[in-house]
């Protein structure tokens, strides 16, 4: 019996670590994707709505190996409307994100409100246990984001809240994704997202004035499409490995990752308070991992 408990603990710890690793790797992919997106929209002045369309259109092309491998079976599901609602939330989140694109660290700080929506939703709709440590860690991460954002300052504008709307929409999409991970394959979840995002984003792009990429912009959109597929698949694997309330705080690591990316590629020089906020977020993510491991050991 003791050996069985030890084996169960080892498997549980392995899945928790795997979930954290997948989420962090997904954050790296998303950071690189944000650099490419900002370069296209801010440096090359490509229309945001068209940028969203081409990014996910090429992502769909890169997802075709999933369809070749599984055939039409990759699209088979008993929950089509759940997929549709999930993708609509994700598409609207993308539009809010590209429309409210600001310096990379500020945009990411605002999106950091997403853990509140996800953890609350995980408790209300998925029935997951959210203990005081998880709430506290998420609160510390949110406080770090607010230190970075400083919504009380004179420079704050309501337009900057568009990334918060993205956080709400993406958080809703993530909750539905989590509800599907126990009943759907990761390939099915990923392909449904990519297939439906393309026509939705296409309609929004045509409504705003459609633009076609050439030369450098075309190459960058190809890279963005590839990064999108990789990032979304890693996110799905993270949610499949551990519960949403546990893996979500590791998504906070996208802030220091994006700060680094913004400095390397755009020469942004964040003020000192940004590093304090980032340290709070990083500390919260590390704390939640150690606390989870300690809880599993005590349960044996």
């Amino acid at each position: 019996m003791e050996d069985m408990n030890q084996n169960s603990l080892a498997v549980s710890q392995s899945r928790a670590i795997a979930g954290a690793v997948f989420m962090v790797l997904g954050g790296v992919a998303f950071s690189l994707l944000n650099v490419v997106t900002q370069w296209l929209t801010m440096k090359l002045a490509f229309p945001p709505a068209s940028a969203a369309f081409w990014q996910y259109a090429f992502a769909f092309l890169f997802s075709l190996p999933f369809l070749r491998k599984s055939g039409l079976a990759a699209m088979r599901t008993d929950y089509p409307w759940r997929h549709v609602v999930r993708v609509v939330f994700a598409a609207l989140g993308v539009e809010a994100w590209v429309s409210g694109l600001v310096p990379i660290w500020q945009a990411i700080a605002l999106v950091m409100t997403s853990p509140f929506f996800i953890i609350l939703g995980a408790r209300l709709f998925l029935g997951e246990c959210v203990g005081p440590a998880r709430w506290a860690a998420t609160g510390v991460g949110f406080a770090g984001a607010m230190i970075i954002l400083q919504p009380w300052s004179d420079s704050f504008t309501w337009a900057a809240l568009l990334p918060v709307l993205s956080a709400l929409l993406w958080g809703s999409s993530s909750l539905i994704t989590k509800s599907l991970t126990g009943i759907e394959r990761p390939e099915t979840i990923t392909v449904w997202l990519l297939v439906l995002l393309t026509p939705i984003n296409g309609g929004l792009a045509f409504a705003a004035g459609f633009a076609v990429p050439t030369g450098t912009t075309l190459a960058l959109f190809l890279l963005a499409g590839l990064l999108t597929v990789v990032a979304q698949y890693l996110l799905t694997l993270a949610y499949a490995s551990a519960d949403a309330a546990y893996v979500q705080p590791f998504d906070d690591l996208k802030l220091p990752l994006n700060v680094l990316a913004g400095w390397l590629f755009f020469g942004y020089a964040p003020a000192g308070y940004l590093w304090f906020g980032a340290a709070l977020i990083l500390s919260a993510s590390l704390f939640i991992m150690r606390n989870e491991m300690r809880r599993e050991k005590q349960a044996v």
Side-chain angles (χ1 to χ4, degrees), residues 60 77 87 277:
F60 171 69
T77 179
V87 177

Side-chain angles (χ1 to χ4, degrees), residues 29 80 87 107 127 139 146 160 163 174 186 238 254:
V87 177
M146 290 301 99
S174 294
K254 66 177 174 283

Side-chain angles (χ1 to χ4, degrees), residues 75-112:
M75 295 293 295
R76 291 174 185 166
T77 179
D78 293 327
Y79 311 93
W81 285 108
R82 198 180 301 190
H83 283 286
V84 171
V85 173
R86 173 179 70 99
V87 177
V88 168
F89 282 148
L92 293 176
V94 169
E95 292 300 321
W97 170 256
V98 297
S99 298
L101 211 56
V102 292
I104 195 167
W105 70 83
Q106 184 179 355
I108 295 299
L110 284 166
V111 173
M112 302 292 279

Side-chain angles (χ1 to χ4, degrees), residues 170-182:
W170 284 338
S172 300
S173 179
S174 294
L175 284 172
I176 300 175
T177 299
K178 174 59 181 176
S179 73
L180 287 168
T181 53

Side-chain angles (χ1 to χ4, degrees), residues 114-138:
S114 182
F116 273 107
F117 302 124
I118 290 179
I119 287 182
L120 179 60
R123 179 66 184 92
L124 294 177
F125 301 111
L126 301 184
E128 293 183 1
C129 178
V130 181
R134 286 171 169 174
W135 284 118
T138 303

Side-chain angles (χ1 to χ4, degrees), residues 145-159:
M146 290 301 99
I147 290 173
I148 295 167
L149 176 61
Q150 293 191 332
W152 52 83
S153 67
D154 293 336
S155 61
F156 179 80
T157 62
W158 288 107

